[in-house]
Amino acid sequence: MIEAPHVDDAPALARVLLAAWLQTYPNEEAGIDEAWIREHRGSVTAAEGVAQWRGFIARAAHQPDRFLCRVVRRRGEIVGFLCGRREGEVVNLGPMYLLEEAQGVGLGGQLMDVFLDWAGDTPMRLWVTTYNEGAVRFYQRYGFEATGERQLWRGRLPNTRMARTP
């Protein structure tokens, strides 16, 4: 089930974000392991990180034209989410994560359909980790193309900008 989250869902969103990072980003070549991830993303589950999620959920509820947040629930538990932000003449997608247990059954496509409906005819962009080939292919299926812009998050995580023009 895909739905808007409640403010009380903030701790679960934070846990899913950290779990998704631990499942997705370890990469020996990039020097990214569980310890590095916990050092750089572990605070998302602390009080300050949960408060940021509460704030974003509230903004999305009160300004649905500017902010989007949707969660995926399976058997009552949040197993994924997608967020979007409208900034000027562009819409930014992200973060978007599904736990491994929820992948491969069409939920990512359903989330993307919600996002594309919300974004409408606005140009869209996102950052994707370069070595996350499954995510790159997923976004390409929805018309996103690499722009050539790159960034190294926290000096290690290689990201590529992708954009979609409706």
Side-chain angles (χ1 to χ4, degrees), residues 131-153:
Y131 59 77
N132 189 353
E133 294 169 3
V136 171
R137 284 190 307 273
F138 174 82
Y139 294 128
Q140 286 172 334
R141 283 196 304 271
Y142 287 90
F144 286 86
E145 297 177 354
T147 65
E149 187 179 355
R150 296 180 177 269
Q151 72 169 191
L152 204 56
W153 189 80

Side-chain angles (χ1 to χ4, degrees), residues 43-73:
S43 64
V44 73
T45 59
E48 182 180 319
V50 171
Q52 288 175 351
W53 272 113
R54 281 192 175 99
F56 188 80
I57 293 167
R59 283 191 301 281
H62 290 76
Q63 296 179 289
D65 56 319
R66 289 198 53 221
F67 301 99
L68 174 73
C69 191
R70 294 292 181 269
V71 296
V72 179
R73 291 185 199 272

